Amino acid sequence: MKLTLHIWRQKSAKEKGAMATYQVDHISPDMSFLEMLDTLNEQLILNSEEPVAFDHDCREGICGACALTVNGVPHGPEAQTTICQLHMRKFNDGDALYVEPWRARAFPVVKDLVVDRSAFDRIMAAGGFVSAHTGGVPDANAILIGKDAADKAMDYAACIGCGACVAACKNSSAMLFVGAKISQYAHLPQGQPERKRRALAMVAKMDEEGFGACTNLYECEAVCPKGISVAGIALMNRDFLRAKLTYVETKTGGA
Amino acid sequence: MASIVSYLKSSILSKVVMAATGVVLVAFLSGHMLGNTQMYLGQDKMNHYAETLQSLGVALWLIRGFIFLSVVLHIVTSINLKIINMRARPVAYVQKNWVKATIFSRTMLWTGVMIGLFVTYHIMHFTLGTTNPGSFHLTDAAGRHDVYTVVLLGYQNVAISAVYIAAMILLGFHLAHAISSAFQTLGVNHPKYTGIIETGSALVSLVIVCGFISVPLGVLLGFIKPVAVLAAGGM
Ligand code: FES
């Protein structure tokens, strides 16, 4: 296959970026999209040009590192597939592809297609955890959890934190991500002790990081490589409102 | 004051204000639309209805105040959200494609602005009579404000009717996303009910829009006739 690639090149966070056009030949339809970019980079290195920087790690769709939009769709045209798992046979010989980074103020570009997603880590640090026993290993099944509750929690826990939801959103909103994290704990007994505090803290952090506000386009759900449902956003809204109305912070420890 | 508007800093609280004021406005639109369809019942019924509304006195002003407050909150909050959302994406995509987002959901702000402009004109036309002073202060045989004829004269003008119909189509665009969206924002999303909510919301939007459009169309097509024609026993 032969392709024309329009790729966002940006030297650093400080500098302005622009699209650059490259031709790549000898693309095998069995390559993944990232292997195709590897091929381009080999070509660039041979020509003594700067290779295109892009994020990747597992290349098997489970780590959430890979992140780029192809023709304006995060992770490209295949539903519920990360870009590392997307094969070139999904494209046609002679295609012109636009490859861009996630675009959000909260995800500043580090270089080319690499963005800094540590805003997600800070949201998690604000409330994406449960309190756990220290000491002896607890019995695995000491707390009974119904199969449907466990399944729902798993569906939300499938989020790999790639940020495609933010990238797809008209408003660069992180509500699918935060909704997924809040919902994953909300469905489990272990998530109950911090439930209200978590909703308030994670949402406040999300706002503070400069993500936009959801306008219910559901574009996030459509591009999510893990198919996370926007029902998680509704649950987050419910939990947040309930906490806003009823949560009282205790200043000192109980006595 | 600072604490009243501090909700604007929270994305979810702002969304909830959009949804809650939206619910008030949809309720108002439904009532307004049903009232309008009384045009089909003739001059007496329509003018009686208008007179009843006017006779509410203080209650009418309370209701108007409540609706006005909802409109103001809806507009102020939407502008604030738009600013937050534009700031959230300083660099636009060179190429952007939509997988699922509808034209309705992507144009909410613009349909909203157009509806706002239309409502201003509409109030000048049928509430204040600023645009039509010559034909606004008519009275019927019973000495009541002849709302029936005022509306009829307005809609007999094809250009005015066209504006009303176009505005109602834009309202339909707005509602097509707004109603089901309000449920989601208020946290109502359940696999058992989401389908019904979506279909129901689309249906309610359609009924409201068709109800409104039916009046100017009824006048233009001659289903709603001038009083003189009715009195002469004409068709
Ligand atoms: S590289 Fe790990 S999910 Fe794509």
Side-chain angles (χ1 to χ4, degrees):
Chain A
M1 292 170 75
K2 281 185 186 178
L3 292 172
T4 307
L5 297 171
H6 302 280
I7 300 182
W8 184 261
R9 301 303 309 262
Q10 184 171 339
K11 283 211 175 72
S12 72
K14 299 232 161 45
E15 267 164 274
K16 275 198 157 194
M19 298 300 275
T21 306
Y22 304 96
Q23 298 290 334
V24 264
D25 305 344
H26 310 298
I27 301 295
S28 153
D30 297 330
M31 281 179 181
S32 74
F33 198 90
L34 299 189
E35 284 167 331
M36 183 276 291
L37 288 181
D38 292 336
T39 311
L40 167 70
N41 278 344
E42 278 164 16
Q43 192 178 302
L44 290 175
I45 291 165
L46 281 179
N47 294 338
S48 310
E49 284 178 64
E50 182 79 8
V52 178
F54 60 91
D55 255 328
H56 61 100
D57 189 5
C58 70
R59 296 206 179 196
E60 49 187 21
I62 53 167
C63 75
C66 58
L68 37 95
T69 62
V70 180
N71 290 344
V73 178
H75 290 302
E78 187 82 340
Q80 297 199 21
T81 307
T82 54
I83 196 68
C84 62
Q85 287 284 290
L86 181 69
H87 289 95
M88 294 314 294
R89 54 179 167 269
K90 300 292 173 188
F91 299 95
N92 300 314
D93 189 25
D95 272 357
L97 304 177
Y98 285 78
V99 185
E100 296 177 68
W102 288 175
R103 299 217 185 263
R105 181 161 69 105
F107 289 163
V109 171
V110 176
K111 190 180 183 191
D112 298 337
L113 305 171
V114 178
V115 297
D116 178 357
R117 282 168 286 179
S118 51
F120 270 10
D121 300 335
R122 291 189 290 273
I123 294 173
M124 287 308 279
F129 49 80
V130 297
S131 39
H133 295 282
T134 54
V137 180
D139 180 23
N141 292 316
I143 304 171
L144 295 179
I145 299 168
K147 167 103 171 91
D148 46 344
D151 283 352
K152 271 191 200 131
M154 266 317 284
D155 285 348
Y156 289 114
C159 169
I160 51 177
C162 64
C165 43
V166 175
C169 177
K170 181 162 83 70
N171 314 309
S172 297
S173 169
M175 288 201 184
L176 191 68
F177 169 75
V178 180
K181 298 303 173 188
I182 285 178
S183 302
Q184 142 197 340
Y185 297 119
H187 283 106
L188 296 174
Q190 290 90 336
Q192 302 313 311
E194 294 94 352
R195 187 163 177 178
K196 289 179 180 173
R197 193 149 34 107
R198 174 182 307 117
L200 293 175
M202 292 183 79
V203 170
K205 194 70 191 167
M206 167 184 83
D207 288 348
E208 189 191 315
E209 291 289 345
F211 291 103
C214 170
T215 47
N216 302 338
L217 270 71
Y218 306 154
E219 195 66 13
C220 50
E221 182 183 78
V223 303
C224 177
K226 300 296 154 183
I228 308 277
S229 162
V230 291
I233 299 180
L235 192 152
M236 170 183 68
N237 294 348
R238 282 203 299 278
D239 269 20
F240 175 79
L241 272 183
R242 194 179 301 142
K244 249 311 189 226
L245 292 172
T246 61
Y247 180 69
V248 186
E249 179 112 37
T250 44
K251 291 274 176 335
T252 53
Chain B
M1 190 62 193
S3 63
I4 298 177
V5 292
S6 69
Y7 81 86
L8 288 170
K9 288 199 206 99
S10 163
S11 56
I12 296 182
L13 288 184
S14 297
K15 280 163 54 66
V16 167
V17 169
M18 289 306 290
T21 52
V23 169
V24 172
L25 297 177
V26 169
F28 162 70
L29 283 173
S30 309
H32 189 343
M33 183 275 288
L34 288 175
N36 286 13
T37 53
Q38 306 219 20
M39 284 296 288
Y40 284 98
L41 304 178
Q43 187 199 26
D44 184 51
K45 285 264 164 41
M46 184 67 198
N47 290 354
H48 174 70
Y49 166 69
E51 196 187 43
T52 314
L53 277 186
Q54 289 296 333
S55 70
L56 290 175
V58 179
L60 177 68
W61 281 104
L62 281 178
I63 296 170
R64 280 178 169 170
F66 185 60
I67 295 166
F68 182 70
L69 182 72
S70 301
V71 170
V72 169
L73 283 175
H74 202 73
I75 294 174
V76 168
T77 313
S78 70
I79 293 171
N80 183 59
L81 280 173
K82 185 69 191 175
I83 293 171
I84 290 175
N85 290 344
M86 283 182 357
R87 258 197 227 138
R89 176 158 298 152
V91 182
Y93 284 101
V94 174
Q95 178 127 137
K96 179 73 189 146
N97 271 304
W98 301 100
V99 183
K100 189 173 179 178
T102 60
I103 180 86
F104 311 119
S105 65
R106 286 189 281 118
T107 53
M108 288 299 276
L109 188 85
W110 306 113
T111 51
V113 168
M114 300 302 278
I115 294 163
L117 291 176
F118 163 75
V119 168
T120 314
Y121 163 69
H122 174 54
I123 289 177
M124 285 162 64
H125 184 202
F126 282 148
T127 312
L128 304 173
T130 340
T131 58
N132 46 328
S135 57
F136 185 67
H137 298 285
L138 304 173
T139 45
D140 64 6
R144 298 171 297 197
H145 185 201
D146 191 0
V147 174
Y148 181 84
T149 307
V150 173
V151 170
L152 195 112
L153 288 175
Y155 288 156
Q156 275 177 340
N157 182 327
V158 180
I160 292 180
S161 272
V163 168
Y164 271 84
I165 292 171
M168 288 308 104
I169 292 172
L170 289 178
L171 176 69
F173 270 54
H174 203 72
L175 292 181
H177 176 65
I179 302 181
S180 62
S181 182
F183 280 92
Q184 163 80 1
T185 296
L186 295 172
V188 185
N189 183 322
H190 190 281
K192 269 196 177 170
Y193 304 106
T194 299
I196 301 172
I197 289 171
E198 266 165 24
T199 320
S201 304
L203 235 104
V204 169
S205 316
L206 203 67
V207 169
I208 290 178
V209 170
C210 290
F212 275 126
I213 288 180
S214 80
V215 178
L217 265 189
V219 171
L220 287 181
L221 299 176
F223 295 114
I224 300 172
K225 299 182 189 68
V227 184
V229 176
L230 289 171
M235 289 300 286

